[in-house]
Amino acid sequence: MRQQICIGDNLRLERRAGEARFICSCDRDLGTGQVNFKEHCRVKESSSSDIGPGYASSDPEMAGQMCFREFFCPGCGVRLTTEVALVGSPYLWDIQPKL
Amino acid sequence: MEQTANIIWDGVARGYIPPDVLRISPKLQLHTKGAADVDPITYEVARNTLLNINLEHGQTIQKLSISPITMLVRDFQCAILTENGDVMCLGPYLLYLGNMLGLITKWILENRSEEPGIEDGDVFLCNDPYVGTSHQQDTGLTCPVFWQGELFCWVSNSVHYSDVGGPMPGSFCLNSNTIWEDPPCFPPIKLMERGQIRTDLEQLFLRQSRLPDTVAMDLHAAIAGLSVAKERIIKLIERYGPDTVKGVMNRIIDAGELAIEEKLQLIPDGRWSERVYTEAAVPGDRGIYASQINIIKEGGFLYVDNEGTSPQVGAINNTYAGLAGGTLAAMTIMLAYDLAGVSGGLYRRVKFRPVPGTITCADYPAPISIAGQFNMPMVVATATGAVAKMVACADSPLREKAIAMADVHAYGGSIFNGINQHGQFFVGMNAGMAVGALPASPVRDGVDTGGLFWVPGMEAANVEENELAWPVLTLYRRHNTAGAAGAGRFRSGLGAEEAWVLHGAPQMSMEVYMNESFVKNQGLLGGNPGGRSFFQVKKNTDVRLCLAEGKLPQNLADLSGGDVPMYFKGPPITLEANDVWSSNLPNFAGYGDPLDRDPALVAIDVSEGKLTTADAQQVYAVIFGADGSVDEENTRACRAGRKQARLAACP
């Protein structure tokens, strides 16, 4: 039986006190494995044109319907994941491994 | 494939999903007896012979075709299938076409074995996306191989034909709202009967095309590929006997399945999803639409659905064949990378539960012709995201095989037509951006212009080949820089851009181009998404004057003239002598937090001129000293401050 599942560089799903919990590499608890860990992150939402040099749109009206979300660990500030999404859409619950 | 309850997936009203047991006419005798005790040496000799037969099939198509898209770019696929249409192996070409050849063949077994029958020497042609093609241009041919009256196996190919009819040259019909505004669909027809080409049906197919001579040559190249593969398989059977060869074929698939099963044991059970967005169902539409793929892994099987995808609309649709093919292409790269094209074992372990009536699994009569340019890369990208997240949760060494997403419309190509420098009508598909880029992975940077990973054998045409084929002069083709686009702990390989001007013809019409309004790519586990693909046109420039003065313009901004407002899908643009246009294929997705990237790797990118010191600081928080080396202490402090600032900005 797995005791933990590594998810990328900084996130893992770990069994603690009999329950699967999302844990950051800084040891910050990001909630139960039954809930989208993004709900426990600090989230920055910005324009999809403002991600950085080279993302600027030639059609700001269309680009304005989209946003760029960055999900940071509230403990250490590392960026765990990102989304390009429709403004106002719910976070995609995209990683649901079972421990 | 699993059948969704109460929905008929018949290839007529809806995409075709074969049942687990095919309904084949008893008139057709199948060879099913495979020896179970083939010795290891015979097995290896026969196995490698079969794989090489398939490679020779592809090389024959490439050598005999004449269209740039087939001859130079290799936009095709070939396969060997078992007697019941299960794919045994694919060539190193367009991976998502492999499964489609299986769908077409199984549909023929179910719907043609009784009437008109399947006989030795037959070749069936099909370009119907509801039966099993990605779009009408990717026309499939499939050929039964008989041994002593029994159907032993099939050899099949799919080739992108330059024009198969419809209202737009090149057959990508951006304005279609129904299949009746698209190129014609041909469900499987018997193009060859008992070894003879049915000239009436050949002419029916060619008559639709604006380029009948080119399509005829490519069609005959495809038939030649089938003939070579069939002849070689017959010789293999003559040498080893049918039961031995069939035993080897069965064992090849079984071994592939076992290899997949072993990899699946490294992946925890769970559910992974990806969603990407596209835009403009038809030119002028301002809508935004979602493509979503969800993968549930339970024990030794993967279950795939597209719940969350937008309802079918306008011209941005593909059928079940595209959904399954694109998903299996991403899985092939990350799960079957070591199987030398033997994908049949993987296919056994994937079950689809598609949601019909969606842009990635459309019902008849949705138009499908533009799927090859727009939807299929989108499906591959969506699937790549979901598969990569799943694989990134696996135990080592599989987790290192995760690969970030390529661009959602990654061909970056354009389609144009007119009268060329030789006074002949032409349709051009610029696949110069097939130079591609490999995205980042959890253990390494991607590869600069490293190709498109779901088309391992694809090559971009050389600029000289483009200039020979079409009335154009290439001003430049070069790498992008490594700025924010595709940044991460490991960055994407660099994409590319190129610019053209007319040469030898007074004008031509640009019909299909892509200027994305917003970035559609998704980064992997903290990485930046890839960049925005764009297409620019500048009218009435001084480019001729520059060339006359011996200057080769290297930037559209340096030229006089006016920019044309560009949309993701716009109306055709007439290009004239003083106009310049450029395509950009962006860097693809990055992996991991850019602030965790090894500063030494950032320094290498700067030293190689791929990254400016300003971008190194802005994107990666790497500080350089006066001597040009990394200031490690200040870099650490800058990164720590940047992470604290993130939290301060998001209370």
Side-chain angles (χ1 to χ4, degrees), chain A residues 29-51:
Chain A
D29 190 316
L30 295 171
T32 171
Q34 303 301 312
V35 174
N36 191 351
F37 73 90
K38 294 175 183 174
E39 301 291 344
H40 294 270
C41 292
R42 297 279 181 89
V43 185
K44 180 184 178 187
E45 190 164 308
S46 53
S47 164
S48 63
S49 289
D50 295 335
I51 302 172

Short mmCIF file of all heavy atoms in Angstrom, two decimals, chain A residues 29-51:
data_model
loop_
_atom_site.label_atom_id
_atom_site.label_comp_id
_atom_site.label_asym_id
_atom_site.label_seq_id
_atom_site.Cartn_x
_atom_site.Cartn_y
_atom_site.Cartn_z
N ASP A 29 0.00 21.79 5.23
CA ASP A 29 -1.15 20.93 4.93
C ASP A 29 -2.11 21.69 4.02
O ASP A 29 -2.55 22.80 4.34
CB ASP A 29 -1.84 20.55 6.24
CG ASP A 29 -2.90 19.47 6.03
OD1 ASP A 29 -3.68 19.57 5.06
OD2 ASP A 29 -2.96 18.53 6.84
N LEU A 30 -2.44 21.08 2.88
CA LEU A 30 -3.34 21.72 1.90
C LEU A 30 -4.67 20.99 1.80
O LEU A 30 -5.34 21.01 0.77
CB LEU A 30 -2.66 21.79 0.53
CG LEU A 30 -1.41 22.69 0.50
CD1 LEU A 30 -0.67 22.54 -0.83
CD2 LEU A 30 -1.77 24.14 0.72
N GLY A 31 -5.04 20.36 2.89
CA GLY A 31 -6.38 19.81 2.98
C GLY A 31 -6.48 18.34 2.64
O GLY A 31 -5.52 17.70 2.20
N THR A 32 -7.66 17.83 2.83
CA THR A 32 -7.92 16.41 2.61
C THR A 32 -7.86 16.05 1.12
O THR A 32 -8.14 16.89 0.25
CB THR A 32 -9.31 16.02 3.15
OG1 THR A 32 -9.63 14.70 2.73
CG2 THR A 32 -10.39 16.96 2.65
N GLY A 33 -7.52 14.84 0.86
CA GLY A 33 -7.47 14.36 -0.52
C GLY A 33 -8.83 14.29 -1.18
O GLY A 33 -8.94 14.07 -2.38
N GLN A 34 -9.89 14.49 -0.40
CA GLN A 34 -11.25 14.45 -0.95
C GLN A 34 -11.68 15.79 -1.53
O GLN A 34 -12.79 15.91 -2.06
CB GLN A 34 -12.24 14.05 0.16
CG GLN A 34 -11.92 12.71 0.82
CD GLN A 34 -11.90 11.58 -0.18
OE1 GLN A 34 -12.81 11.43 -0.99
NE2 GLN A 34 -10.84 10.78 -0.15
N VAL A 35 -10.84 16.82 -1.37
CA VAL A 35 -11.19 18.17 -1.82
C VAL A 35 -10.07 18.68 -2.72
O VAL A 35 -8.89 18.35 -2.53
CB VAL A 35 -11.38 19.11 -0.60
CG1 VAL A 35 -11.59 20.55 -1.05
CG2 VAL A 35 -12.54 18.64 0.26
N ASN A 36 -10.43 19.49 -3.70
CA ASN A 36 -9.44 20.07 -4.60
C ASN A 36 -8.45 20.90 -3.80
O ASN A 36 -8.83 21.87 -3.13
CB ASN A 36 -10.17 20.95 -5.63
CG ASN A 36 -9.28 21.39 -6.77
OD1 ASN A 36 -8.07 21.18 -6.75
ND2 ASN A 36 -9.89 21.99 -7.78
N PHE A 37 -7.17 20.54 -3.87
CA PHE A 37 -6.17 21.26 -3.07
C PHE A 37 -6.10 22.74 -3.44
O PHE A 37 -5.63 23.57 -2.66
CB PHE A 37 -4.78 20.61 -3.22
CG PHE A 37 -4.12 20.85 -4.54
CD1 PHE A 37 -3.30 21.95 -4.74
CD2 PHE A 37 -4.31 19.98 -5.59
CE1 PHE A 37 -2.70 22.18 -5.97
CE2 PHE A 37 -3.71 20.19 -6.82
CZ PHE A 37 -2.90 21.30 -7.02
N LYS A 38 -6.57 23.08 -4.66
CA LYS A 38 -6.52 24.49 -5.08
C LYS A 38 -7.34 25.37 -4.14
O LYS A 38 -7.06 26.57 -4.01
CB LYS A 38 -7.05 24.61 -6.51
CG LYS A 38 -6.18 23.93 -7.55
CD LYS A 38 -6.84 23.99 -8.93
CE LYS A 38 -6.01 23.24 -9.97
NZ LYS A 38 -6.70 23.17 -11.27
N GLU A 39 -8.36 24.77 -3.50
CA GLU A 39 -9.20 25.54 -2.58
C GLU A 39 -8.41 26.01 -1.36
O GLU A 39 -8.83 26.93 -0.67
CB GLU A 39 -10.40 24.70 -2.12
CG GLU A 39 -11.30 24.19 -3.24
CD GLU A 39 -12.08 25.30 -3.93
OE1 GLU A 39 -12.17 26.40 -3.36
OE2 GLU A 39 -12.58 25.05 -5.05
N HIS A 40 -7.27 25.38 -1.12
CA HIS A 40 -6.46 25.74 0.05
C HIS A 40 -5.24 26.56 -0.33
O HIS A 40 -4.37 26.80 0.51
CB HIS A 40 -6.04 24.47 0.79
CG HIS A 40 -7.19 23.72 1.39
ND1 HIS A 40 -7.65 23.94 2.66
CD2 HIS A 40 -8.01 22.78 0.86
CE1 HIS A 40 -8.69 23.15 2.91
NE2 HIS A 40 -8.93 22.44 1.83
N CYS A 41 -5.17 26.96 -1.59
CA CYS A 41 -4.02 27.74 -2.05
C CYS A 41 -4.33 29.24 -2.02
O CYS A 41 -5.49 29.65 -2.03
CB CYS A 41 -3.64 27.34 -3.48
SG CYS A 41 -2.96 25.68 -3.63
N ARG A 42 -3.30 30.04 -2.00
CA ARG A 42 -3.45 31.46 -2.31
C ARG A 42 -3.52 31.55 -3.84
O ARG A 42 -2.72 30.92 -4.54
CB ARG A 42 -2.25 32.25 -1.82
CG ARG A 42 -2.06 32.22 -0.31
CD ARG A 42 -2.97 33.21 0.38
NE ARG A 42 -2.76 33.19 1.82
CZ ARG A 42 -1.86 33.95 2.47
NH1 ARG A 42 -1.11 34.80 1.79
NH2 ARG A 42 -1.72 33.86 3.77
N VAL A 43 -4.46 32.32 -4.33
CA VAL A 43 -4.71 32.35 -5.77
C VAL A 43 -4.56 33.78 -6.30
O VAL A 43 -5.18 34.71 -5.77
CB VAL A 43 -6.12 31.84 -6.11
CG1 VAL A 43 -6.31 31.75 -7.63
CG2 VAL A 43 -6.37 30.48 -5.47
N LYS A 44 -3.76 33.91 -7.30
CA LYS A 44 -3.65 35.19 -8.01
C LYS A 44 -4.32 35.02 -9.37
O LYS A 44 -3.98 34.11 -10.12
CB LYS A 44 -2.19 35.59 -8.20
CG LYS A 44 -2.02 36.92 -8.93
CD LYS A 44 -0.55 37.22 -9.19
CE LYS A 44 -0.39 38.52 -9.98
NZ LYS A 44 1.02 38.72 -10.38
N GLU A 45 -5.27 35.89 -9.66
CA GLU A 45 -5.95 35.83 -10.95
C GLU A 45 -5.63 37.09 -11.73
O GLU A 45 -5.88 38.21 -11.25
CB GLU A 45 -7.46 35.68 -10.74
CG GLU A 45 -8.21 35.38 -12.02
CD GLU A 45 -9.63 34.86 -11.75
OE1 GLU A 45 -9.78 33.89 -10.97
OE2 GLU A 45 -10.57 35.43 -12.32
N SER A 46 -5.07 36.93 -12.90
CA SER A 46 -4.69 38.10 -13.70
C SER A 46 -5.15 37.89 -15.14
O SER A 46 -5.65 36.82 -15.50
CB SER A 46 -3.17 38.31 -13.66
OG SER A 46 -2.50 37.12 -14.01
N SER A 47 -4.96 38.91 -15.96
CA SER A 47 -5.34 38.80 -17.36
C SER A 47 -4.45 37.79 -18.08
O SER A 47 -3.25 37.69 -17.79
CB SER A 47 -5.22 40.17 -18.03
OG SER A 47 -5.22 40.02 -19.43
N SER A 48 -5.03 37.07 -19.02
CA SER A 48 -4.22 36.12 -19.78
C SER A 48 -3.20 36.83 -20.66
O SER A 48 -2.27 36.20 -21.18
CB SER A 48 -5.13 35.22 -20.64
OG SER A 48 -5.83 35.99 -21.59
N SER A 49 -3.36 38.14 -20.81
CA SER A 49 -2.37 38.91 -21.58
C SER A 49 -1.19 39.34 -20.73
O SER A 49 -0.20 39.85 -21.26
CB SER A 49 -3.02 40.15 -22.19
OG SER A 49 -3.91 39.80 -23.22
N ASP A 50 -1.33 39.17 -19.40
CA ASP A 50 -0.30 39.70 -18.50
C ASP A 50 0.55 38.61 -17.86
O ASP A 50 1.14 38.83 -16.80
CB ASP A 50 -0.97 40.54 -17.39
CG ASP A 50 -1.65 41.78 -17.96
OD1 ASP A 50 -1.23 42.24 -19.04
OD2 ASP A 50 -2.61 42.27 -17.32
N ILE A 51 0.59 37.44 -18.46
CA ILE A 51 1.38 36.36 -17.87
C ILE A 51 2.86 36.71 -17.89
O ILE A 51 3.61 36.35 -16.99
CB ILE A 51 1.12 35.03 -18.62
CG1 ILE A 51 -0.37 34.69 -18.56
CG2 ILE A 51 1.95 33.90 -18.04
CD1 ILE A 51 -0.78 33.52 -19.43
#
